[in-house]
Amino acid sequence: MNPLGYGDPLRLGPYRVLGVLGEGGMGKVYLGRDSSGRKAAVKVLLPELAHDAQTSQRFLREAQAAQAVRGKGVARVLAVETEGGRPYIATEFLAGPTLDSLVRHHGALQEPYVRALGATLARTLGDIHAAGLVHRDLKPSNIVLTSTGPRVIDFGIARPEHGMTLTTTGQTPATPGYGAPEQILGQRTGPAGDLFALGAVLVYAATGAPAYDAGHVAAVQYEVVHGQPRLDALPPALRILIEPCLAKDPALRPLPAQIISALDPPRGAAKLWKQGPVAVEIGRSEEEARRLATFPDADTLVGSTAPGTGAPSRRRFFTGLAAGGTVLAAAGVGGLWWMTGDETPPRAHPWDADRLTDYEQGKAPDPLWGPQKTPVTGGVDLLVVRDLIILDTRSPDLIAYSVTDGKLKWRAKDVGWPALYSPSVDLLLAKSVDELYGVARKTGERLWSSPVGIVTVLALAGDVYYYHDISGDYRVPGEVVALRVTRSGSKELWRKPIPFGADVDDLEAAAAGDRLVLTARERGAVALDAANGEEVWKVSRKSGETWLPYVAGDTVYLGGPSLRAFRLSDGKPGWSEAASTNSGLSVGAVDGDHLYLVAGGQLRCHRRKDGSKKWARVLQNPIQGRPVVSGDTVWVSSSLGTEGVKAFRKSDGEPLWTLQKGQEAEGSAKIAGAGNRVFSFRDGKLTALPVI
């Protein structure tokens, strides 16, 4: 909420204007209240656009589109009028956070909420399509969560079902990552385009991350048209329901009624919005809305007071709100009202850093913070989880620091390592000698422990944790076990004998969706069904050595003397690329349409579609661990500490700078990256570095 400024109206028709809710490319949105106390969001066309016939037509079409929809899933239009030559639309004021703001500040929704959300949105899209319209801009910031359920807003680019795209050359047809491939290509966009957007919305709600995220608009749009959505973090039960919505071919996407039936929301789903953390935020919004509705009517000047009361004026009151005095500005959810659909997109997350725009090639930039001395003296692994950087100390403790300033947030004692993070249940998992621990991501509190015996951790996909149980007879290869984890505990789903026979000491794994892929160097690879552990497909040992599997989308990449791509669902072979070095070749990171590979002392960039090499850079010594991609940079750490950490430009492999080169240190630096930062840990010190 912002205070009224110079030129803002004090009244629009029957509505007394209380403050500014938002401003976009076409209009400004005010909070209004009529004489009965009813609140409205009043959207007014900007003065400089009011005389443009095409813009005015689009503006008024928004109101007509919303009025045509019969259903409670949209914000009702209360009035369409003109004031001072400027048209305005008054719509129902919705008290509640947007889906975008709720997820950004509180993390992914639990599965029952996602199912209820998806069913309601599918029903609302059915109502919109029944009115002969296509919304064409469904996205998290256009969905408001209220105590009566989710509501869809902003019909700014809605069109009749038979209508063509509104865009002209150089314009973006919809929000990047949510517009369907046919919409991006300027083709006719029918109801199936909204179902694609629904799939992308549900991925964001269920995982806390976009289905398509490649750094900048053009790359995201390219990924939507030619790439694969990022669905690895989806719980398997949701993935099989959501993935069809993201089909490239509109004809293959399900209908709203099919989505509602498949999601099968829990009984009493309508009550979900009145309980739990979501209800708390909705309640805050409703309470603030009540306060606004009872605010005094005095039309006073800035700095004055209501006669005889000493009460501040409306303008001064909202200036105070903007300064952070109330939940409107400071609560973090920031979604008491709906905004215009034309606003500049915010950062992906509020804790993300700004990228470097001014840097000198060959000279390492100053750290964002650090080096921060830590109580850790030995080796660590780094795990970036939302607004935290977690030191997995290879001891019984986990230590979390803020990504923004390096301040200590919490220390979880006696929970073991390594640490894995499940975004679907917002839970960290750590393994001690014979116990598995569930740790609260926000606080480090130990929530539960489960006995698991002597195990080797394999993988985590969504809320399913896989491990290799070697606590039995040493003469047998042991078992692979699947556990479903929640915030209250774990439950064993299945256990199966390791499929490679005895004497397996090089077992590696990768998991996503409904597949677990296991490799054992000279014994090939096997993919298991996540639901029951049954073998689905395999790669023969005769095909050569296989190691370090890596899953991205519906492809699993198997490292070895040749890097090979297979379809994850059924094992259909794709391309193969020879390593050309004795060290073999393996995938270290995937970003958009490119793979970043490690081959001994080489860092290589290859194209995902055919495995062809785009560029390669050679280090003096082998690379330690996986490369880290953040922003437009890719970073590697040498296995020899004195060679340091090197940063390269992602697009062409151009060397940018080297950190810590020539310093005497114990071993190499460990690195991790996210949110436009790269973190380096060396000699017990943690440093946050900027990216371009």
Side-chain angles (χ1 to χ4, degrees):
M1 172 71 72
N2 290 316
L4 297 176
Y6 179 78
D8 286 326
L10 295 177
R11 182 176 290 276
L12 287 165
Y15 299 101
R16 185 179 300 282
V17 178
L18 301 176
V20 181
L21 297 178
E23 183 172 1
M26 288 182 64
K28 206 167 186 177
V29 184
Y30 299 97
L31 175 63
R33 189 193 66 195
D34 64 16
S35 58
S36 67
R38 183 171 61 173
K39 300 173 294 300
V42 187
K43 185 174 182 178
V44 185
L45 193 63
L46 294 175
E48 59 268 28
L49 300 177
H51 300 295
D52 182 86
Q54 184 178 1
T55 305
S56 295
Q57 183 182 21
R58 172 180 165 180
F59 185 81
L60 293 174
R61 186 171 59 245
E62 176 181 349
Q64 295 164 357
Q67 286 177 315
V69 179
R70 297 290 182 265
K72 62 180 182 179
V74 300
R76 292 181 296 113
V77 175
L78 304 177
V80 183
E81 303 289 347
T82 299
E83 184 86 12
R86 296 167 62 189
Y88 72 83
I89 305 167
T91 67
E92 177 185 12
F93 180 86
L94 301 176
T98 64
L99 176 64
D100 178 53
S101 61
L102 184 78
V103 171
R104 280 192 290 116
H105 292 93
H106 291 274
L109 301 183
Q110 295 179 3
E111 185 171 328
Y113 286 90
V114 176
R115 289 179 177 272
L117 172 71
T120 299
L121 294 179
R123 188 173 295 109
T124 301
L125 289 177
D127 293 337
I128 292 171
H129 300 159
L133 297 168
V134 183
H135 189 283
R136 299 181 73 252
D137 197 22
L138 186 71
K139 58 185 177 181
S141 60
N142 278 348
I143 299 163
V144 179
L145 304 177
T146 74
S147 58
T148 58
R151 309 283 282 276
V152 175
I153 60 161
D154 199 345
F155 286 77
I157 58 174
R159 292 284 283 175
E161 192 276 329
H162 58 273
M164 295 293 286
T165 179
L166 280 173
T167 55
T168 58
T169 302
Q171 291 182 313
T172 302
T175 302
Y178 295 93
E182 63 270 22
Q183 192 171 357
I184 293 170
L185 296 172
Q187 300 169 355
R188 178 180 175 275
T189 303
D194 285 344
L195 277 304
F196 181 94
L198 174 60
V201 164
L202 295 181
V203 171
Y204 179 75
T207 67
Y212 301 92
D213 186 9
H216 56 85
V217 172
V220 171
Q221 302 292 54
Y222 183 88
E223 190 173 350
V224 169
V225 175
H226 302 289
Q228 295 298 322
R230 302 180 180 191
L231 306 179
D232 296 355
L234 276 175
L238 285 179
R239 178 168 179 165
I240 61 175
L241 305 178
I242 295 173
E243 192 166 13
C245 296
L246 299 173
K248 306 293 186 193
D249 185 349
L252 299 180
R253 297 172 202 152
L255 299 173
Q258 293 173 315
I259 295 173
I260 295 169
S261 175
L263 284 171
D264 189 25
R267 203 171 171 184
K271 297 179 181 179
L272 285 174
W273 313 109
K274 298 181 180 181
Q275 61 191 39
V278 176
V280 172
E281 298 303 341
I282 293 173
R284 289 178 182 172
S285 298
E286 290 176 335
E287 175 59 30
E288 200 59 42
R290 283 190 288 270
R291 290 179 56 195
L292 294 174
T294 58
F295 192 74
D297 285 338
D299 286 325
T300 52
L301 298 175
V302 176
S304 67
T305 59
T309 65
S313 70
R314 287 187 294 131
R315 295 180 191 263
R316 174 177 283 181
F317 176 71
F318 283 109
T319 301
L321 292 184
T326 76
V327 70
L328 285 178
V333 174
L336 178 62
W337 49 82
W338 65 269
M339 301 285 285
T340 69
D342 306 296
E343 72 272 14
T344 302
R347 294 177 183 174
H349 305 99
W351 54 81
D352 287 353
D354 294 325
R355 295 191 192 180
L356 278 177
T357 57
D358 184 19
Y359 64 94
E360 181 180 343
Q361 192 165 345
K363 180 181 178 181
D366 293 333
L368 295 170
W369 52 259
Q372 169 76 33
K373 186 174 177 57
T374 73
V376 182
T377 57
V380 302
D381 287 320
L382 303 179
L383 177 66
V384 185
V385 178
R386 295 174 60 80
D387 58 344
L388 299 176
I389 171 72
I390 297 171
L391 273 60
D392 186 345
T393 64
R394 301 186 182 181
S395 72
D397 296 354
L398 301 178
I399 307 174
Y401 294 87
S402 167
V403 298
T404 57
D405 56 16
K407 292 182 178 178
L408 178 67
K409 302 299 288 186
W410 51 257
R411 182 167 185 168
K413 293 184 176 294
D414 299 323
V415 293
W417 67 281
L420 300 175
Y421 174 62
S422 171
S424 61
V425 289
D426 198 22
L427 188 71
L428 290 163
L429 299 164
K431 169 70 179 64
S432 68
V433 175
D434 56 2
E435 295 278 333
L436 176 67
Y437 296 100
V439 179
R441 188 261 309 172
K442 290 183 180 180
T443 63
E445 175 190 4
R446 185 195 299 179
L447 300 176
W448 51 263
S449 64
S450 296
V452 290
I454 302 173
V455 306
T456 300
V457 177
L458 293 177
L460 175 68
D463 61 352
V464 180
Y465 177 88
Y466 302 96
Y467 66 87
H468 179 194
D469 188 345
I470 54 177
S471 56
D473 189 333
Y474 72 93
R475 294 168 295 182
V476 298
E479 298 173 307
V480 58
V481 184
L483 296 180
R484 169 147 293 132
V485 295
T486 67
R487 292 183 66 83
S488 58
S490 66
K491 178 182 179 181
E492 185 173 308
L493 300 178
W494 50 262
R495 62 173 57 228
K496 296 285 183 178
I498 294 296
F500 299 115
D503 301 324
V504 175
D505 58 4
D506 49 12
L507 190 68
E508 295 170 323
D514 57 357
R515 294 289 181 267
L516 170 68
V517 179
L518 302 173
T519 65
R521 290 239 168 197
E522 298 180 355
R523 307 187 190 203
V526 175
L528 306 181
D529 189 325
N532 52 30
E534 297 296 327
E535 181 179 308
V536 180
W537 55 264
K538 67 180 179 180
V539 176
S540 169
R541 69 175 64 193
K542 296 180 181 179
S543 66
E545 289 191 22
T546 302
W547 64 74
L548 285 176
Y550 192 109
V551 176
D554 191 34
T555 303
V556 57
Y557 304 95
L558 301 181
S562 291
L563 179 68
R564 292 172 288 170
F566 297 84
R567 190 158 63 193
L568 181 64
S569 56
D570 58 12
K572 181 180 179 180
W575 51 260
S576 177
E577 179 74 9
S580 71
T581 70
N582 294 329
S583 302
L585 196 62
S586 62
V587 174
V590 175
D591 186 77
D593 293 321
H594 295 97
L595 307 171
Y596 295 91
L597 313 179
V598 174
Q602 285 189 26
L603 171 67
R604 295 163 56 162
C605 176
H606 287 235
R607 296 173 179 86
R608 285 181 68 177
K609 63 179 180 180
D610 57 11
S612 61
K613 184 170 67 176
K614 184 177 181 182
W615 56 258
R617 293 291 177 264
V618 179
L619 279 70
Q620 295 177 7
N621 295 285
I623 293 170
Q624 172 72 30
R626 297 183 185 272
V628 169
V629 179
S630 187
D632 287 329
T633 57
V634 55
W635 304 59
V636 293
S637 177
S638 167
S639 61
L640 184 63
T642 53
E643 194 173 353
V645 175
K646 295 181 179 294
F648 301 87
R649 191 159 51 216
K650 188 171 67 175
S651 58
D652 56 12
E654 183 71 17
L656 295 174
W657 53 72
T658 300
L659 303 170
Q660 301 168 320
K661 183 177 180 180
Q663 295 179 4
E664 293 300 326
E666 293 184 6
S668 59
K670 287 297 182 70
I671 56 174
N676 299 332
R677 296 179 185 86
V678 167
F679 301 92
S680 171
F681 181 88
R682 194 177 189 186
D683 283 347
K685 296 177 182 177
L686 181 65
T687 305
L689 303 157
V691 303
I692 63 172

